[in-house]
Amino acid sequence: MKRVLTVLAAGVPLAAAVYLPTASAEPRTSVSTPPACVAPPVKAPSGTVVESVTAVRRPGGTIHGTGFLGGDVSGVPAFCQVTVTLTHPGDNDHARVQTWLPLAEWNGRFQAIGGSAYSAGDNGVGLGTAVKNGYAATTTDAGVGDVLDTSWVLSSKGQVDTALLKNFASRSQHEAAVVGKEVVNGVYGKRAAFSYFTGCSTGGREGYMEAQRYPDDYDGILADAPAINWDEFEVATLWPQVVLNNERTYPTDCEFKAFTDAAVKACDKFDGVQDGLVGDASRCDFDPRRLIGTKVVCDGRELTITAADANVVRKIWDGPRTASGKKLWSGVPIGADLSGLAHSALDTDGTVKGQPFQVPALWVQLWLKKDPSFDVSKITYSDFTKLFKQSEAEYDKVIGTDDPDLSAFRKSGGKLITWHGDADQYIPTDGTVQYRNQVEREIGSAKKTDDFYRLFLAPNTAHCGLNGLDGSADGLAALTSWVEHGKAPQTLPATLINANGEQVEHDLCSYPAVSRYKGHGDPALASSFRCVSPARH
């Protein structure tokens, strides 16, 4: 099962995914004699001490995901669960690396799985899915907590725990790669033929961090809707609330939906056919002022969209700027659900109050203000600029994950695939596009970059939406084919959900190409479209 749990509106404050790549490739290896499930010897990675190693045989069946995300995966075969606990001397941390190894029909591959929001690793559903597909799979908790558990961030003296932040940002993922591969070798008696990293959101960021800092860890990385540029976009995703509070205008969620629906309808035609999908979102420049005076029925009440409402939407789409008008970061994509970051509701005193998305609110409260009680609703436009600059100055080198120099990863033979939804309501797609363009400049050309790194943008797709909520795509199958057979993906076949809620087959084009209707054929079929160079505008 694939799913993404979104939303303030449903009371689930998380932009993250239970990330479950399907890996449809056939198994390479069959384990004729089930290996003994005993704790293998594990050499401590550099800078760590191994505190413990345990091995437990699990019967498989249905795996219930732990923590806030929950979730289930059924039909998991029996596996050996090996848990290695590491510590960094002097840091008083305890990072667990968990590896699940199928006891039969191992496909000869190793897969590491990233995390979600403030969780560094998987909750069991991704591991179970990987084992079900024949992989030996690894994840790490980095010594931190669940997706919204930030109890580890501040010390008793009110200072950020830099050791645990370093774990979460980078070093624990590398150590998991080292330990996981060693466990595979120790249990099976041979090394994995190929190694992969998969993740979305925080997991996507971790995949990029691996490519940048530890280019030899993996043969292939699938890093989707990646939370790169963390120090910038994490503050930027609080911008919609800053706009609401400073403009003192709080459109309802259905008014926001009216703006989004109108924009999608206006921009739908750019791909050559009205099919409920915006084929080239970069061309969509819908002016929200066109809706001023429009009547919208919300919960039985008829509301009229005002100039103030349109101004709020314009500012949110445009993205954060300084008081002098300098652009700081990209805004919420025009086709994305605005209620994700700009939700508001009646307070207990009867007034309307913004409800900030918890992930960026926690970042500002704990990492920047170092005060859990800090009221983010009081942030002025001037304050926002200072917080944005502070975050860049203090955390870019730690967790920015935006170094465009992937030359070492390219030299190692690694392959990197990313898909990102054009309607991502939590992580602006433009940040990923901007990074890809920076890599091209660093490497020397788009062609050289395409040799090892390909980006695919998914129309009408929300955050981590191709994990099930807004369709699906088998990025891992494309990645294994590229790594193991040299078949670079020109397109990424996907099932999308259009604006009418209908499933349509669509080939995502390798960036910068965009999808264009051929002029004939069923718009619900991928064969009716072709990939073309984007129009100049």
Side-chain angles (χ1 to χ4, degrees):
M1 181 183 72
K2 301 175 183 178
R3 71 187 179 121
V4 85
L5 297 174
T6 58
V7 273
L8 291 163
V12 183
L14 184 64
V18 176
Y19 185 73
L20 308 176
T22 54
S24 58
E26 290 298 315
R28 296 172 51 87
T29 303
S30 180
V31 182
S32 55
T33 303
C37 186
V38 296
V42 175
K43 181 182 177 182
S46 177
T48 74
V49 170
V50 174
E51 291 189 311
S52 65
V53 182
T54 62
V56 180
R57 190 186 191 280
R58 301 295 187 189
T62 297
I63 302 296
H64 302 288
T66 61
F68 186 84
L69 288 178
D72 300 288
V73 55
S74 59
V76 179
F79 61 93
C80 180
Q81 177 181 312
V82 177
T83 304
V84 178
T85 303
L86 304 174
T87 187
H88 299 85
D91 288 343
N92 194 33
D93 63 337
H94 309 281
R96 291 190 315 153
V97 178
Q98 201 170 131
T99 305
W100 293 11
L101 306 98
L103 293 173
E105 295 190 341
W106 175 42
N107 64 14
R109 303 183 181 102
F110 171 76
Q111 181 186 157
I113 302 175
S116 304
Y118 290 116
S119 172
D122 183 66
N123 73 341
V125 179
L127 290 168
T129 301
V131 167
K132 184 176 179 178
N133 287 305
Y135 285 80
T138 285
T139 200
T140 178
D141 66 8
V144 298
D146 198 22
V147 290
L148 291 175
D149 178 3
T150 51
S151 60
W152 56 272
V153 178
L154 297 178
S155 69
S156 57
K157 296 181 179 179
Q159 298 299 311
V160 171
D161 189 321
T162 55
L164 288 178
L165 177 57
K166 186 176 180 180
N167 281 3
F168 176 70
S170 61
R171 68 178 174 182
S172 284
Q173 291 303 330
H174 169 62
E175 289 158 4
V178 174
V179 168
K181 290 177 187 178
E182 194 171 344
V183 168
V184 167
N185 187 39
V187 172
Y188 290 133
K190 60 180 177 180
R191 298 189 178 280
F194 299 97
S195 60
Y196 298 93
F197 183 95
T198 62
C200 193
S201 193
T202 284
R205 182 197 65 75
E206 291 164 338
Y208 274 81
M209 181 67 81
E210 278 290 313
Q212 291 165 20
R213 297 196 182 182
Y214 307 102
D216 298 320
D217 278 355
Y218 297 102
D219 299 301
I221 294 173
L222 180 64
D224 302 322
I228 54 177
N229 307 292
W230 180 286
D231 54 301
E232 293 158 319
F233 96 82
E234 204 62 85
V235 182
T237 46
L238 203 55
W239 173 253
Q241 291 290 321
V242 173
V243 171
L244 295 181
N245 294 324
N246 281 269
E247 301 300 321
R248 293 182 171 81
T249 299
Y250 301 87
T252 62
D253 288 352
C254 60
E255 287 173 300
F256 278 137
K257 185 176 186 300
F259 282 102
T260 301
D261 290 348
V264 169
K265 185 177 180 179
C267 299
D268 188 350
K269 62 187 177 184
F270 292 149
D271 60 2
V273 64
Q274 293 281 151
D275 61 347
L277 296 174
V278 179
D280 183 1
S282 67
R283 294 180 63 193
C284 192
D285 57 357
F286 179 78
D287 187 342
R289 291 176 296 185
R290 291 169 59 180
L291 261 62
I292 295 173
T294 302
K295 306 292 185 183
V296 178
V297 177
C298 295
D299 299 325
R301 295 184 302 144
E302 185 178 77
L303 303 176
T304 301
I305 290 177
T306 66
D309 295 330
N311 181 52
V312 162
V313 171
R314 181 186 62 80
K315 285 180 175 289
I316 292 173
W317 279 347
D318 180 56
R321 291 181 181 271
T322 65
S324 63
K326 182 182 178 182
K327 186 90 167 178
L328 291 172
W329 200 248
S330 303
V332 176
I334 285 183
D337 179 5
L338 289 164
S339 67
L341 297 178
H343 184 62
S344 60
L346 280 175
D347 202 1
T348 53
D349 62 2
T351 60
V352 179
K353 185 176 181 181
Q355 294 192 334
F357 184 54
Q358 283 182 265
V359 178
L362 287 166
W363 179 257
V364 170
Q365 289 171 324
L366 302 179
W367 278 269
L368 300 182
K369 302 302 291 187
K370 301 171 181 63
D371 177 6
S373 65
F374 175 73
D375 186 353
V376 296
S377 71
K378 304 298 184 185
I379 298 173
T380 66
Y381 287 133
S382 177
D383 294 335
F384 180 89
T385 298
K386 292 175 183 175
L387 290 167
F388 188 90
K389 295 297 184 182
Q390 178 192 349
S391 188
E392 284 183 312
E394 291 185 14
Y395 298 106
D396 178 59
K397 299 302 181 186
V398 181
I399 199 171
T401 326
D402 55 2
D403 181 358
D405 185 1
L406 296 181
S407 57
F409 183 70
R410 177 177 180 239
K411 186 177 180 180
S412 75
K415 307 299 181 189
L416 171 61
I417 290 178
T418 289
W419 53 252
H420 200 152
D422 265 332
D424 193 318
Q425 71 276 44
Y426 295 118
I427 300 178
T429 317
D430 281 350
T432 302
V433 170
Q434 174 184 305
Y435 176 81
R436 158 71 198 211
N437 291 336
Q438 290 170 336
V439 173
E440 288 183 11
R441 290 193 291 271
E442 182 73 27
I443 295 296
S445 70
K447 184 179 184 301
K448 288 180 180 178
T449 304
D450 280 342
D451 286 344
F452 72 98
Y453 170 26
R454 300 209 173 189
L455 169 64
F456 300 87
L457 303 182
N460 201 47
T461 300
H463 186 58
C464 293
L466 293 187
N467 291 336
L469 188 66
D470 298 317
S472 61
D474 198 344
L476 187 53
L479 184 63
T480 56
S481 180
W482 194 7
V483 167
E484 298 171 25
H485 305 293
K487 297 179 180 178
Q490 301 300 320
T491 60
L492 186 62
T495 299
L496 304 180
I497 310 299
N498 67 19
N500 301 317
E502 303 162 334
Q503 282 195 354
V504 295
E505 299 306 311
H506 211 80
D507 285 342
L508 307 184
C509 300
S510 179
Y511 178 83
V514 295
S515 184
R516 179 87 183 170
Y517 184 57
K518 292 179 178 178
H520 55 83
D522 185 348
L525 299 179
S527 58
S528 300
F529 293 81
R530 60 193 177 96
C531 294
V532 300
S533 297
R536 299 293 179 185
H537 65 284

